[in-house]
Amino acid sequence: MKLFEYMAKEIFRNNGIPVPNGRVFSQAGDLAEFVSQNGAVAIKSQILSGGRGKAGGIKFATTPEEAVAKAGELLAADIKGLKVDKVLVEEKIAIDQEIYLAITVDGTRRKPVLLASMAGGVDIEQVPEEKLIKRLIDVSIGLNPYAAREITRQLGLTGSAAKEAADLMLKLYNVFRTYDAELVEINPLVIAKGHVLAADAKMTIDDECAYRYQPDVPIVDERTEAERKARDLGISYVELDGEIGVMANGAGITMATLDLIQEFGSSPRNFMDAGGGSGEEATAKALEILLETKPKALLINIFGGITRCDDVARAFVKVKNSMEINIPVVIRLVGTNEEAGISILRENGIDSYKKIDEAVSKVVALVKNEDSAAVVAAGDAVKA
Amino acid sequence: MKLFEYMAKEIFRNNGIPVPNGRVFSQAGDLAEFVSQNGAVAIKSQILSGGRGKAGGIKFATTPEEAVAKAGELLAADIKGLKVDKVLVEEKIAIDQEIYLAITVDGTRRKPVLLASMAGGVDIEQVPEEKLIKRLIDVSIGLNPYAAREITRQLGLTGSAAKEAADLMLKLYNVFRTYDAELVEINPLVIAKGHVLAADAKMTIDDECAYRYQPDVPIVDERTEAERKARDLGISYVELDGEIGVMANGAGITMATLDLIQEFGSSPRNFMDAGGGSGEEATAKALEILLETKPKALLINIFGGITRCDDVARAFVKVKNSMEINIPVVIRLVGTNEEAGISILRENGIDSYKKIDEAVSKVVALVKNEDSAAVVAAGDAVKA
Amino acid sequence: MAIILDDKIKIIVQGITGNQGQFHTGQMLAYGSTIVGGVSPGKAGQEVQGVPVYETVEEAMQVQTADASVIFVPAKLVKDASLEAMEAGIKTLVIITEHVPLHDAMEIMDYAEKKQVGIIGPNTYGIISPGKSKIGIMPNSIFRPGPVGVVARSGTLSYEIVFQLSSAGIGQSTVLGLGGDRIVGYSFIDILEKFESDPGTQAVVMVGEIGGNAEEEAAQYIRERMSKAVVAFLAGKSAPPGKRMGHAGAIIERGKGTFESKVAALSAAGVQVASLPWEVGEMVKRAL
Amino acid sequence: MAIILDDKIKIIVQGITGNQGQFHTGQMLAYGSTIVGGVSPGKAGQEVQGVPVYETVEEAMQVQTADASVIFVPAKLVKDASLEAMEAGIKTLVIITEHVPLHDAMEIMDYAEKKQVGIIGPNTYGIISPGKSKIGIMPNSIFRPGPVGVVARSGTLSYEIVFQLSSAGIGQSTVLGLGGDRIVGYSFIDILEKFESDPGTQAVVMVGEIGGNAEEEAAQYIRERMSKAVVAFLAGKSAPPGKRMGHAGAIIERGKGTFESKVAALSAAGVQVASLPWEVGEMVKRAL
């Protein structure tokens, strides 16, 4: 769950991290008073995407009239394909230095990692490795003053800026930990008149912990309507733009199924991991989501482990009985309660493949041949 | 630093630990309204000593008049030799079960330890080992729900009382950690109508951290005036009731010096560890504290390490020059900057012993013989 | 022979009275696993599939010492259950639960490091040493004993590969799922080391996916230290960047963790990388 | 021979620019200790007694790897300095500072356990292997090389005993102060074990005091595991119960940690307990 800049800055401010004086607006007309009180301002479109500045999403103004006009432009615009609902208006900062600072998770080392560089203000992916400081954090002791001091030393900071930057790092780690963040990023952290200030702010909160932050932190959702529906079902679902709708169980096998569809010459309409242990009803709802995206064919690839083949079979029968399916469907069913699942499908006149290559080649062939059989029974599946 | 029961309960209450409804009073007359609103009450004298109940420090009343009278008695009384300044008046609890619960520090294992027993309400020292549950706590993970659940299981608690007790333990550990406590103790933790309640509360906060809690937690000081003075100088000082005033540097050697004085047939007036690294001025002030207690003689036993013999010598010369010393003083000086110290003393007409046995036997002899030489020079000290 | 799990390992099931706990306890018992107790707060004294249920792991361990524990509790309670098992002396912990909070997972791993506990998961199907014992949720029918070690990030894809191997007559020494989350316990390298020194393992199949750099690090280890043949299969070739493909770890971010970089690293380390799942069996056969 | 400290150990001084840090750096150098750097935030680039000063331990370690660090920083900063040293790779940490908060000390010890660091102190004079090196604040003049190991809870009392030993012509292999606080790193047992296996140590003098049960536990270890002779001296015979005699640990609470219980435990373990400090030398002589 990503937060908008203005939300992240609100959290920063509440946790003692200095941010520029600013306010968020949805209506351009409302800016005038703030700008007349604060003078020169930056007007920043609130979108969940990097590279906002280059894309024209940040404008500057010195008078209320100019600010209202430019905010109006931004609020009417699409920046990087995203609609701008809000702008954050901040006092303009006289920047002396720009620093990159972030805390995220190093999956390989299983620990938080702090990243810092004096090459701030630019896309951090452009910064060469040797200019990027990486420091792993031991969660049992957290980030401590000595570590922050060592980082500011490596950055080459001195005097009050070094002290303030070190102090800010400790507070940023506190935010990272307290808000279950996956990422907190300040790019740039600026030094202006000897003091440090978070000129930008990015935060991504662990989706699994989002519930802890309602209503303090409003949930920002980048998902499509179907993705949200799937999420509510506890199903991993990503919309793609191909031909064949896919439901499988397990992220790995789902990815591999998409890969195979591509390998065999078609393309996937979606990624859908129906997960482990989903019951009959959830599986049925997941199938409904798939059908709503109007794929040319459906491939159901179930390898039962925690998922039981009989549940999937029952679910599919239920959906088949309750809604009209007018595209080809190929089912592959193997694993836990496989026999029960196959027999439920048989009782309902549906056969299933046991081998994945046969299932995939069949569904691709059906799409290519525009075959319109609703459910394909494959006698040769038994050979597997 | 020990806290009064009412202070500890205030902290408990603020941290979600249930305590009886109650209020603290300094004037007996003020009780009437509280009692008329709450009915039967317990009136508990606020003193820093265990065994308060047996010593008559807790009384019960059912009417405002009775309560005012009994509070008046307590506020006029000395309980266990301690003057009662305040009483805590609480609703009377219908107790079903009494549990002992405490968290303190296990020095040998270097970890916090939780102690619990179903034999609550009595002096915990009387409880046999096999009825006392001890559980070490790993500070890197703290006390966790599973551990609290295991403790309540071992106590034999069930149902809502078990759940509430487990929850209370987690909160008690939180208080222990947050307030830098050496000890938090609830004896008894009572079960009344299926709910848990801290009927008593003891807390001792690490002296080294007391500064963190001003003014939230008022400092309660059990020290004498001289002990407080010494504390302000950063000196360890304990008043005893013998004849010979002692100043040494290092707790171990000070204790050993007291032991030797006793071994040689006299008794120490005090324990004073002038500490490591005390400068000239602090040493002088420490000597002044000693002399104010009117010992029959003084023994200064300095083995220089972090303490430098020349500092002590200079300090002693200064005190000798600024105040009249009319009791015998024996000095023993050895270690860091020993030669410089000895030479400073010599320049001022003072000699010193190098061997501890000679110094102690000399000071004891002086007390026994009522020898009044202000400063004793010992030629044979050089032999050591 | 096998790694980590053999038929002597005694197992506790945490969350045994839940749906999944009950079902898979039955499946594990059916496979021959030695389950000495289950844990479910408030349910002590009950039995599940004949297994006694205790209030805490500590209580269970007082009755009979166990070596391993498998966790089926809800995601929010996984941290508590994991610390509990480790403090009680469990040395192998299998965390089946998915959606474990990221920071909880980091704290679990930190404590595991301190207590020297081996963790499989979270978000794993567990571990099985075919013909000996299993701890987890994999279907019993597809495995058969043999000389090939299998280690995977993802679950069901492992089954697919194992199914291919077994169908081709190739049995497995141990099959283990590292877990699909960003933070998991054992890494490819940890398991490759164990397979390398296991006399019962002659070749290894490694099932990876896009995201992170675990496969690249494994490739370096294989190149420098491994004598046994390794065959790899990787999922996610068709995945677009920036999309999280189900697993928290399966995402190409900032141009890192791509399918191509993994294939390149593994190939350079002498690993045969199968393009299609059913090629794995053939490659392993040639390597044996 | 000696334990923990020999002339090859390279040392860092944390808090080197303070009064105590400066003075004792000079004293250590005078004794022949190898000090490779000092640390003092905001003072990097300076020199103290010819020793270069760095901003952090990590910076110092980049210039020259050290084995040990000695801490002279104020009590409130000890936790930070200790964690810093341990994270930077220091394996022996000597904490001179007194008045370290109790909970800070517990956190330091916990991290030390995780990082396998040996901690001497807090509230210690340090460690000296006479004729080789010292890390701490003990007076240089009283020690002489020899076959007797000395381990003590309290500082100046160690000097007294060592002074008696040296005066009697008995030299020391290593002399070490555990520290006077309730929570300290090395225990009597840890050090007795090291002396037991040190070929350069023929007998051990143990200097204890009232409070806690460290001496009683040491007695049990000596009885069960130790072959070398141990002589003990204990302080606090005359101390009244409930009074904290300077050291946080030196207090008889709840009837535990009395002089009598310690004498009884040690005597039962075959330890000779000296009643007077100057008896120690004679007892050791007979034991050698």
Side-chain angles (χ1 to χ4, degrees):
Chain A
M1 180 178 84
K2 286 183 186 172
L3 301 188
F4 286 114
E5 177 191 6
Y6 76 92
M7 294 171 172
K9 282 188 169 165
E10 183 66 25
I11 291 173
F12 281 11
R13 190 183 286 116
N14 293 340
N15 286 275
I17 297 174
V19 294
N21 182 25
R23 202 187 301 168
V24 70
F25 296 93
S26 305
Q27 305 286 336
D30 299 347
L31 268 74
E33 194 189 333
F34 180 86
V35 179
S36 65
Q37 284 164 0
N38 285 273
V41 294
I43 305 163
K44 306 162 89 177
S45 55
Q46 298 297 288
I47 54 169
L48 294 174
S49 173
R52 182 179 53 168
K54 279 185 203 151
I58 300 176
K59 293 179 184 289
F60 299 92
T62 47
T63 67
E65 297 71 27
E66 191 188 357
V68 168
K70 288 189 170 172
E73 286 168 29
L74 286 177
L75 286 164
D78 272 18
I79 308 290
K80 302 195 82 177
L82 298 163
K83 169 128 188 48
V84 180
D85 284 331
K86 289 190 171 69
V87 291
L88 176 62
V89 182
E90 289 182 337
E91 55 174 338
K92 210 181 158 194
I93 308 295
I95 297 171
D96 294 324
Q97 265 182 308
E98 293 187 314
I99 298 167
Y100 175 87
L101 181 64
I103 304 176
T104 183
V105 172
D106 184 327
T108 309
R109 304 284 158 250
R110 306 175 187 86
K111 292 179 198 306
V113 60
L114 184 147
L115 305 171
S117 174
M118 288 307 282
V122 301
D123 186 349
I124 194 62
E125 291 169 46
Q126 316 291 329
V127 175
E129 279 288 313
E130 70 274 10
K131 287 198 171 173
L132 188 63
I133 296 161
K134 288 187 187 184
R135 189 179 187 96
L136 291 170
I137 298 168
D138 182 328
V139 295
S140 73
I141 58 169
L143 187 70
N144 285 283
Y146 70 86
R149 215 165 59 229
E150 171 64 16
I151 295 160
T152 56
R153 185 191 72 77
Q154 288 180 24
L155 286 172
L157 294 175
T158 54
S160 69
K163 281 213 172 74
E164 287 184 21
D167 181 59
L168 182 147
M169 286 174 201
L170 302 181
K171 288 170 174 164
L172 190 66
Y173 180 75
N174 183 42
V175 165
F176 174 75
R177 180 66 201 86
T178 311
Y179 289 83
D180 283 287
E182 288 180 21
L183 169 76
V184 287
E185 186 183 79
I186 303 176
N187 187 23
L189 174 70
V190 304
I191 300 179
K193 296 174 189 161
H195 296 290
V196 300
L197 205 58
D200 196 2
K202 279 200 182 64
M203 260 182 91
T204 308
I205 290 179
D206 182 4
D207 281 341
E208 310 306 345
C209 298
Y211 68 90
R212 292 188 194 165
Y213 302 107
Q214 285 173 299
D216 294 34
V217 176
I219 289 182
V220 179
D221 209 324
E222 300 164 85
R223 294 177 182 82
T224 65
E225 184 59 30
E227 283 172 352
R228 263 195 293 276
K229 253 194 209 171
R231 183 201 152 85
D232 292 343
L233 291 171
I235 284 174
S236 284
Y237 176 77
V238 179
E239 269 185 28
L240 302 170
D241 49 13
E243 301 175 313
I244 299 173
V246 176
M247 180 177 128
N249 65 321
I253 202 164
T254 310
M255 272 188 274
T257 306
L258 307 193
D259 294 350
L260 281 174
I261 287 172
Q262 191 170 285
E263 199 77 28
F264 277 65
S266 179
S267 56
R269 179 81 189 84
N270 67 278
F271 170 101
M272 179 186 273
D273 168 12
S278 307
E280 187 182 318
E281 192 159 351
T283 310
K285 282 191 180 154
L287 281 170
E288 284 170 18
I289 291 172
L290 274 194
L291 291 168
E292 278 168 18
T293 66
K294 314 276 181 211
K296 290 192 186 169
L298 268 194
L299 172 61
I300 301 173
N301 182 13
I302 300 298
F303 209 120
I306 202 161
T307 301
R308 302 171 207 172
C309 292
D310 52 341
D311 282 352
V312 178
R314 258 187 296 271
F316 185 71
V317 169
K318 189 180 164 190
V319 178
K320 187 185 164 240
N321 293 340
S322 68
M323 64 200 296
E324 200 184 333
I325 299 182
N326 50 16
I327 52 166
V329 179
V330 174
I331 302 185
R332 190 257 186 152
L333 209 55
V334 75
T336 306
N337 294 6
E338 164 187 326
E339 301 310 324
I342 288 172
S343 106
I344 290 166
L345 288 178
R346 283 220 178 104
E347 282 162 22
N348 287 273
I350 309 164
D351 270 4
S352 66
Y353 289 85
K354 204 164 176 178
K355 289 183 73 171
I356 190 170
D357 50 340
E358 289 165 357
V360 177
S361 67
K362 184 70 188 174
V363 74
V364 172
L366 289 166
V367 168
K368 295 300 168 198
N369 301 341
E370 302 289 337
D371 188 334
S372 64
V375 174
V376 174
D380 55 356
V382 184
K383 287 185 294 185
Chain B
M1 179 179 87
K2 287 183 185 171
L3 301 189
F4 287 115
E5 177 191 7
Y6 76 91
M7 293 172 175
K9 281 188 168 164
E10 181 68 23
I11 291 173
F12 282 11
R13 191 182 284 115
N14 294 339
N15 286 275
I17 297 173
V19 295
N21 182 25
R23 203 188 301 167
V24 70
F25 296 93
S26 307
Q27 305 285 337
D30 299 346
L31 267 72
E33 193 191 334
F34 180 85
V35 178
S36 66
Q37 285 165 358
N38 285 274
V41 294
I43 306 164
K44 306 163 88 177
S45 55
Q46 297 297 288
I47 55 169
L48 295 173
S49 174
R52 181 179 54 167
K54 280 184 204 150
I58 300 176
K59 294 178 183 291
F60 298 92
T62 48
T63 65
E65 297 71 27
E66 191 188 358
V68 168
K70 289 189 171 171
E73 287 168 28
L74 286 176
L75 286 165
D78 271 16
I79 309 289
K80 304 196 79 177
L82 298 163
K83 172 132 185 41
V84 180
D85 284 331
K86 290 189 171 66
V87 291
L88 175 62
V89 183
E90 290 182 337
E91 54 174 338
K92 211 181 157 194
I93 308 295
I95 296 173
D96 295 324
Q97 265 182 307
E98 292 186 313
I99 299 168
Y100 175 86
L101 181 64
I103 304 176
T104 182
V105 172
D106 184 327
T108 310
R109 303 283 159 252
R110 306 175 188 88
K111 292 179 198 305
V113 60
L114 183 146
L115 304 171
S117 175
M118 287 308 283
V122 302
D123 187 348
I124 193 63
E125 291 168 46
Q126 316 289 331
V127 175
E129 280 287 314
E130 70 275 11
K131 287 196 171 174
L132 188 63
I133 296 161
K134 288 186 186 185
R135 189 179 187 95
L136 291 170
I137 298 169
D138 181 327
V139 294
S140 73
I141 59 169
L143 187 70
N144 285 284
Y146 70 86
R149 215 166 58 229
E150 171 64 17
I151 295 161
T152 57
R153 185 190 72 77
Q154 289 179 24
L155 286 171
L157 295 174
T158 54
S160 70
K163 279 213 174 73
E164 286 184 20
D167 182 59
L168 183 146
M169 287 175 200
L170 303 182
K171 288 171 174 163
L172 191 65
Y173 179 75
N174 184 41
V175 165
F176 174 76
R177 180 65 200 85
T178 310
Y179 288 83
D180 282 287
E182 287 181 21
L183 170 75
V184 288
E185 187 184 77
I186 303 177
N187 187 22
L189 175 70
V190 304
I191 300 179
K193 298 174 188 162
H195 296 288
V196 299
L197 205 57
D200 196 2
K202 279 200 181 64
M203 260 182 91
T204 309
I205 290 178
D206 182 4
D207 281 341
E208 310 305 345
C209 298
Y211 68 89
R212 292 187 192 164
Y213 302 107
Q214 285 170 300
D216 294 32
V217 176
I219 289 183
V220 179
D221 209 324
E222 302 164 85
R223 295 177 181 81
T224 65
E225 183 59 31
E227 284 172 351
R228 265 196 293 276
K229 253 194 212 172
R231 183 201 152 84
D232 292 343
L233 290 171
I235 284 173
S236 284
Y237 176 79
V238 180
E239 268 185 29
L240 303 169
D241 50 12
E243 301 175 313
I244 298 173
V246 176
M247 180 176 128
N249 65 320
I253 202 165
T254 310
M255 274 189 273
T257 305
L258 306 192
D259 294 350
L260 280 175
I261 286 172
Q262 193 171 282
E263 199 76 28
F264 277 66
S266 179
S267 57
R269 181 80 190 83
N270 67 278
F271 169 100
M272 179 187 273
D273 168 12
S278 307
E280 187 182 317
E281 192 159 349
T283 309
K285 281 190 179 153
L287 281 170
E288 283 171 19
I289 292 173
L290 273 194
L291 291 170
E292 278 168 17
T293 67
K294 313 276 182 214
K296 290 193 184 164
L298 267 193
L299 172 61
I300 301 173
N301 182 13
I302 300 298
F303 210 119
I306 203 162
T307 302
R308 302 171 206 172
C309 293
D310 52 341
D311 282 351
V312 179
R314 258 187 297 270
F316 186 71
V317 168
K318 189 179 162 190
V319 179
K320 184 183 166 243
N321 293 341
S322 68
M323 63 200 295
E324 203 184 329
I325 299 183
N326 49 17
I327 52 167
V329 179
V330 174
I331 302 185
R332 191 258 188 151
L333 211 53
V334 74
T336 306
N337 294 5
E338 167 187 325
E339 300 310 325
I342 290 172
S343 105
I344 290 166
L345 288 176
R346 284 222 178 101
E347 281 162 23
N348 289 273
I350 309 163
D351 270 2
S352 66
Y353 289 84
K354 204 165 176 178
K355 290 184 74 173
I356 190 170
D357 50 341
E358 290 167 355
V360 177
S361 67
K362 183 70 189 175
V363 75
V364 172
L366 287 167
V367 169
K368 296 300 167 199
N369 302 341
E370 303 288 337
D371 186 334
S372 64
V375 175
V376 175
D380 54 357
V382 184
K383 286 186 294 183
Chain C
M1 290 287 287
I3 64 166
I4 301 171
L5 178 64
D6 61 28
D7 51 10
K8 287 179 193 64
I9 295 284
K10 283 179 274 185
I11 304 158
I12 281 176
V13 178
Q14 290 177 262
I16 194 169
T17 59
N19 274 342
Q20 298 298 337
Q22 290 195 30
F23 176 75
H24 289 290
T25 296
Q27 293 284 306
M28 284 188 271
L29 289 169
Y31 199 75
S33 305
T34 309
I35 301 181
V36 299
V39 174
S40 189
K43 308 277 174 65
Q46 299 185 5
E47 283 199 350
V48 169
Q49 315 272 10
V51 174
V53 179
Y54 302 97
E55 178 72 14
T56 62
V57 177
E58 201 169 311
E59 186 191 10
M61 294 281 269
Q62 281 163 9
V63 179
Q64 182 157 23
T65 305
D67 312 290
S69 181
V70 54
I71 289 182
F72 286 101
V73 306
K76 291 180 202 179
L77 305 179
V78 165
K79 181 181 145 188
D80 195 57
S82 301
L83 298 179
E84 176 178 15
M86 292 191 270
E87 196 190 337
I90 291 293
K91 287 301 168 196
T92 295
L93 191 60
V94 180
I95 306 174
I96 304 297
T97 313
E98 55 183 345
H99 302 303
V100 173
L102 191 63
H103 287 260
D104 286 2
M106 290 194 286
E107 289 180 18
I108 292 168
M109 299 313 156
D110 184 71
Y111 196 60
E113 193 184 317
K114 186 172 177 178
K115 289 281 191 178
Q116 310 227 275
V117 172
I119 296 201
I120 301 172
N123 194 8
T124 178
Y125 58 87
I127 179 171
I128 183 167
S129 294
K132 298 188 176 74
S133 182
K134 80 163 193 176
I135 309 177
I137 59 173
M138 58 291 276
N140 293 352
S141 58
I142 58 171
F143 300 89
R144 56 167 71 181
V148 177
V150 179
V151 55
R153 267 164 79 180
S154 56
T156 323
L157 186 54
S158 303
Y159 309 163
E160 185 68 57
I161 299 293
V162 167
F163 181 68
Q164 301 285 347
L165 289 173
S166 292
S167 301
I170 304 165
Q172 305 90 41
S173 54
T174 298
V175 178
L176 181 147
L178 301 174
D181 283 1
R182 187 120 71 111
I183 301 289
V184 294
Y186 280 127
S187 67
F188 276 122
I189 294 178
D190 297 329
I191 302 306
L192 291 173
E193 277 177 352
K194 290 184 196 292
F195 279 136
E196 173 72 8
S197 58
D198 172 37
T201 300
Q202 289 170 32
V204 179
V205 173
M206 187 181 144
V207 183
E209 63 192 34
I210 52 161
N213 66 337
E215 289 81 2
E216 287 87 340
E217 296 212 336
Q220 194 186 336
Y221 169 79
I222 293 166
R223 187 158 48 82
E224 293 170 2
R225 315 280 291 276
M226 210 155 165
S227 66
K228 295 179 182 173
V230 180
V231 173
F233 179 77
L234 301 170
K237 187 177 181 181
S238 64
K243 294 279 186 183
R244 189 171 290 188
M245 303 308 270
H247 285 162
I251 179 169
I252 299 166
E253 279 177 315
R254 306 186 165 188
K256 285 180 184 154
T258 63
F259 184 84
E260 292 70 25
S261 86
K262 290 174 195 293
V263 171
L266 288 165
S267 301
V271 174
Q272 292 200 68
V273 183
S275 298
L276 300 164
W278 48 90
E279 292 175 359
V280 173
E282 210 45 52
M283 286 178 171
V284 171
K285 257 192 188 154
R286 280 193 303 255
L288 283 175
Chain D
M1 288 290 287
I3 64 166
I4 301 171
L5 178 64
D6 63 27
D7 51 10
K8 285 179 196 65
I9 295 284
K10 282 179 274 183
I11 305 158
I12 281 175
V13 178
Q14 289 177 262
I16 195 171
T17 58
N19 275 340
Q20 298 298 337
Q22 289 194 31
F23 177 76
H24 289 291
T25 297
Q27 294 284 307
M28 285 188 269
L29 289 170
Y31 199 73
S33 305
T34 309
I35 301 180
V36 299
V39 174
S40 189
K43 306 278 173 64
Q46 299 184 6
E47 283 200 348
V48 169
Q49 315 274 8
V51 173
V53 178
Y54 301 97
E55 178 72 14
T56 63
V57 177
E58 201 169 313
E59 186 191 10
M61 294 282 269
Q62 281 163 9
V63 179
Q64 181 156 25
T65 305
D67 313 289
S69 181
V70 55
I71 289 182
F72 286 101
V73 306
K76 293 180 202 178
L77 305 180
V78 165
K79 179 181 146 191
D80 195 56
S82 300
L83 298 180
E84 176 179 14
M86 292 190 271
E87 197 191 337
I90 291 292
K91 286 300 167 197
T92 295
L93 191 60
V94 180
I95 306 174
I96 304 298
T97 312
E98 56 182 346
H99 302 304
V100 173
L102 191 62
H103 287 261
D104 286 2
M106 290 194 286
E107 290 181 17
I108 291 168
M109 298 313 157
D110 183 72
Y111 195 61
E113 194 184 316
K114 185 172 178 180
K115 288 282 190 176
Q116 312 229 274
V117 172
I119 296 202
I120 302 173
N123 194 8
T124 177
Y125 57 87
I127 179 172
I128 183 168
S129 294
K132 296 189 177 73
S133 182
K134 81 165 193 175
I135 308 178
I137 60 173
M138 58 291 274
N140 293 353
S141 58
I142 59 171
F143 301 89
R144 56 168 71 181
V148 177
V150 179
V151 55
R153 265 164 79 180
S154 55
T156 324
L157 187 54
S158 302
Y159 308 163
E160 185 69 56
I161 299 295
V162 167
F163 182 66
Q164 301 284 348
L165 289 173
S166 293
S167 300
I170 304 165
Q172 305 90 41
S173 54
T174 298
V175 179
L176 179 147
L178 302 172
D181 283 1
R182 188 120 71 109
I183 302 288
V184 294
Y186 280 128
S187 68
F188 275 123
I189 294 178
D190 297 329
I191 303 304
L192 290 173
E193 277 178 351
K194 290 184 196 291
F195 279 136
E196 174 71 9
S197 58
D198 172 38
T201 300
Q202 290 170 31
V204 178
V205 173
M206 187 181 142
V207 184
E209 63 192 33
I210 54 163
N213 68 338
E215 290 79 3
E216 287 86 340
E217 297 213 333
Q220 194 186 336
Y221 170 79
I222 293 165
R223 186 157 49 81
E224 294 171 1
R225 314 281 291 275
M226 209 152 165
S227 66
K228 294 178 182 175
V230 179
V231 172
F233 178 77
L234 301 170
K237 187 178 182 179
S238 65
K243 294 279 186 184
R244 188 172 290 189
M245 304 306 270
H247 284 163
I251 180 168
I252 299 167
E253 279 177 315
R254 308 185 164 188
K256 287 185 180 147
T258 64
F259 184 84
E260 292 70 24
S261 86
K262 290 173 194 294
V263 171
L266 288 166
S267 300
V271 173
Q272 293 200 68
V273 183
S275 299
L276 300 164
W278 46 90
E279 292 173 0
V280 172
E282 209 45 53
M283 287 179 171
V284 170
K285 256 191 187 154
R286 280 194 304 256
L288 282 176

